[in-house]
Amino acid sequence: MDRLQAMRIVATVAEAASFAEAARRLHMSPPAVTRAVAALEEAIGARLFVRTTRSVKLTEAGGRYHEDCRRILADIAEAEAAAAGSYATPSGALAVTASVLFGGMHVLPIVTEYLDLYPTMTARTLFVDRQVNIVEEGIDVAIRIGHLPDSGFTAVRVGAVRRVVCGAPSYFATHGMPATPQDLKHHRLAMSTGSWASTEWRFGQDQRVTVQPALLSNTNEAGIAAALAGWGLTRALSYQVGPALLDGRLMVALAEYEEAPLPIHVVHPDGRQAPAKVRTFVDLAVARLRANRFLG
C-alpha cells in the first residue's frame, strides 16, 4: 500500500465529508477511494470513518489520524516547495479578505502596493461584511476586526478601533451634546443595518440603550454621510470616520462611555508553512497597518 497516497485520500475524504466528492477531487473512482480507506483501516487496525447513507464522519481515532496526516502532508509540501524555490520567491495568485469599508480604505492600497513590488503576482480581494471561511473560500490572508475565536490560524495584532457616536459640529450646536447614553433617545439617529448593527447600543460602564433610529440604511457610508451633513448622529467604527474626526467635520459624543477597543488582526491559516506570497504580504500588511494613525 502507498501509505502517502492513503494519507492524502483520508485527508481529502475527511475534508470533503464524502467519498464521492473526495474521488472527484483526487481524480479517482469512488470504489478506488473506498478500497484504499478500507485497506488502510485494516492495516492500522482502527476504523477511521463512520459511514451512513447521508454522511461520512471521522471516528475519534480517525480524527487523530487525520490531524497527523495533515501535519505530515504539510511537511512534505513544505519540503517540496522549498526545493522548488516557491518559498523563496512569491509566485501565483494571492487572495485577501476584509470587511467592505475597511478593505476599500485600508487594505486595497496595501494590495496594490504589493502588486507593484511583485509584478509577476496577481491578487483577488473579497471585501464583504460577513465572516468568511478562510479555508473553504480559498483565502490566503484575512484582516479581521474584533475578538478572534480559537483556531489553529496564525494571527498578528496590528491595531485597534473603537465604536464611536459622532455628529457634525452644526448638529451639536443646534441640538446639544448627549451627556449619557440614555440621552440618545432624544436625538435623531442614522444607523446601518450591517452585520453587527443592533438597535440595542451597548456602552462601557454596563450602559445600554435601545435606540429608535429615524434613518436606517444598508451601508455604513450612508449613516456617516447623514452625520457629516449635520442631519443627525450615527455610530461607526473609529477608522470609518477617522479623517472626518481629524479635520473637525465630525465630533465624538459619549467618549467616556465607550466600550473597550476592538482588536485588528492579520490572519492566515498556513503557520510556519506559509509560502512566500503569504509571508511577504503579511509582512507588508503588518507594517502598513501598524503605521496607520487611524488604527491605534
Side-chain angles (χ1 to χ4, degrees):
M1 181 191 306
D2 184 340
R3 284 295 179 90
L4 184 59
Q5 177 64 2
M7 287 181 177
R8 290 194 182 99
I9 291 171
V10 168
T12 306
V13 171
E15 288 156 14
S18 164
F19 278 72
E21 175 60 18
R24 187 189 67 80
R25 295 183 187 181
L26 293 165
H27 305 290
M28 298 172 62
S29 68
V33 169
T34 301
R35 285 195 300 271
V37 171
L40 182 62
E41 288 178 326
E42 183 176 354
I44 64 178
R47 193 175 185 187
L48 302 177
F49 295 98
V50 176
R51 310 162 180 82
T52 69
T53 56
R54 294 188 178 183
S55 67
V56 175
K57 295 183 179 180
L58 287 162
T59 63
E60 183 178 351
R64 292 194 299 269
Y65 189 77
H66 175 230
E67 286 303 312
D68 289 337
C69 286
R70 288 183 59 186
R71 175 180 51 78
I72 292 167
L73 292 171
D75 286 342
I76 292 171
E78 180 183 12
E80 291 174 346
S86 67
Y87 273 52
T89 304
S91 61
L94 182 78
V96 181
T97 189
S99 59
V100 173
L101 197 52
F102 190 89
M105 292 177 67
H106 299 302
V107 178
L108 184 60
I110 300 172
V111 173
T112 54
E113 180 183 357
Y114 179 80
L115 293 176
D116 286 340
L117 291 171
Y118 303 100
T120 62
M121 287 288 302
T122 61
R124 171 174 65 92
T125 61
L126 180 62
F127 297 154
V128 289
D129 290 331
R130 63 173 173 83
Q131 190 82 336
V132 173
N133 187 308
I134 296 176
V135 175
E136 289 185 3
E137 300 190 44
I139 298 298
D140 295 304
V141 182
I143 289 81
R144 294 267 168 86
I145 298 175
H147 300 286
L148 298 176
D150 291 334
S151 73
F153 296 163
T154 298
V156 183
R157 181 163 174 157
V158 293
V161 293
R162 307 168 354 256
R163 287 197 178 108
V164 298
V165 176
C166 57
S170 60
Y171 177 88
F172 292 123
T174 303
H175 301 279
M177 181 78 70
T180 71
Q182 297 302 319
D183 291 341
L184 292 173
K185 295 179 179 180
H186 309 297
H187 286 265
R188 191 156 57 176
L189 305 178
M191 194 182 90
S192 164
T193 56
S195 57
W196 61 266
S198 168
T199 54
E200 183 183 72
W201 288 9
R202 299 186 180 189
F203 294 87
Q205 304 180 35
D206 292 324
Q207 295 280 320
R208 61 183 66 190
V209 58
T210 300
V211 299
Q212 295 181 325
L215 173 63
L216 284 171
S217 174
N218 67 319
T219 68
N220 293 308
E221 293 94 327
I224 293 168
L228 285 166
W231 183 86
L233 304 181
T234 195
R235 198 181 196 196
L237 293 177
S238 54
Y239 81 85
Q240 297 170 341
V241 292
L245 294 174
L246 189 65
D247 63 22
R249 288 176 293 147
L250 290 177
M251 298 171 58
V252 171
L254 302 173
E256 64 272 30
Y257 290 97
E258 287 177 9
E259 295 177 291
L262 297 169
I264 305 171
H265 291 91
V266 176
V267 180
H268 66 91
D270 299 291
R272 66 185 180 87
Q273 283 87 22
K277 67 176 183 179
V278 172
R279 289 186 284 106
T280 50
F281 181 80
V282 167
D283 288 346
L284 179 65
V286 168
R288 295 294 179 264
L289 293 172
R290 283 180 173 171
N292 191 318
R293 70 167 78 183
F294 301 119
L295 308 180

